[in-house]
Amino acid sequence: MKKISLKVVTSLALLLAACAKESEELPVPHNGSGDKPVEIPAANGNVLKVKTVITVGKVVYDSIPSVLKVISWDSTQVPHEQVFELAPGENQVTLRPSAVKYQLKLSKWGVQVDTTINAGDVAKINVQRLGGIKPAKFLTKEEKYLLKYDNWQPDSRIEYFYATEGVLSSVSFYGKTIQSPDLVLLGEDVFVYQNNNLARIRKYGQDATLHTSRVLTYNAAGQVTGVTDNTEDGVNIAAHVEYLPAVSQVKFFYKFFNGNTMAYTQHYKGGNVQEEAATSSRGTGESAKYYYDFFINPFVHLNYPDMYLSRRSKNNRAAEERLYHGNIPTNVPYKYEYTYDADGYPKELLTSFKGYISGEHLFTIKTVYTY
């Protein structure tokens, strides 16, 4: 079978090349960010608002489900236990009315919570945050396998290297060639830093020749405002980035080497890109809505920007809906199946693809993550 490139799951890269992209699918329940508090009823008693909040590295996860155990102690020191399944976001739990104090215990992603509240203090608490802080884990390897004749066959591999913890020094790409059925080194990205900012990503090919140099510019707040890919012939792609926090949007304007342009907008909600839309000067374009689970996207911890700053969502994409205008993709993903570790990071992802026109299953790719 012809090698399946990583670009098959990088939709906007296709749109830049031909002003077209890929994928769609059915929505799943979203992560609940911004929803009204979930009330967990019990007998008449003290009502306490609680919210699970865990900071992983520099990213705050405040819309995650968890299980809360409450031990109530009465005046004779007899304990009584309640267990609440907390929904993502803010919850209201009703505690035993006869207690003099409450012990709240919670375990999530390796973070242990054990705190005690006196009954007389419950009414004074606006929202009890349950959680803590833990360091991020960083990818070291990303392996892709193609399901063929009921066997998983190696298709590609990406290896991540760091100068210090969390600071990328280089990324190596492996794949198959006509000359070799085994995975061989196809290219490498090398990172250059200036004044504590990532200033440039040098992209080398299989022959160790510099093909592209990606240059990044920033505003005073440290946000990326420009991404330019340069080749020996000059500017290949240039993007200007504008941030509109009042409406939770990021706007991009692209200019290509052939004179074409493209406008692209991302809309964020709850730390994730919920909607996006792109329109090219050729009249082609695409819009999409995305749905996420409640777990940790490992790429959010990497300072590894592509032309679309597409790795910044803090949760993992579970489903999507797309509309195309102009060029139509040949295949689209229609199912994402994750396996997670105890820290909330994906261990494996099964992505199933189907023909966009036929709707028939075409192939499945398994991605294995190593940290």
Side-chain angles (χ1 to χ4, degrees), residues 193-198:
Y193 297 86
Q194 293 178 356
N195 301 323
N196 296 321
N197 282 327
L198 176 61

Side-chain angles (χ1 to χ4, degrees), residues 137-143 157-162 168 170-172 298 302 368-371:
K137 296 199 303 188
F138 298 99
L139 278 170
T140 58
K141 191 185 301 182
E142 184 183 353
E143 300 170 281
R157 183 173 78 249
I158 303 175
E159 295 180 356
Y160 300 85
F161 302 92
Y162 300 85
L168 282 167
S170 64
V171 177
S172 298
L302 302 184
V368 179
Y369 302 96
T370 304
Y371 303 89

Side-chain angles (χ1 to χ4, degrees), residues 162-184:
Y162 300 85
T164 58
E165 186 178 57
V167 180
L168 282 167
S169 59
S170 64
V171 177
S172 298
F173 303 90
Y174 294 82
K176 297 179 180 179
T177 64
I178 297 176
Q179 294 78 15
S180 173
D182 299 321
L183 298 182
V184 298

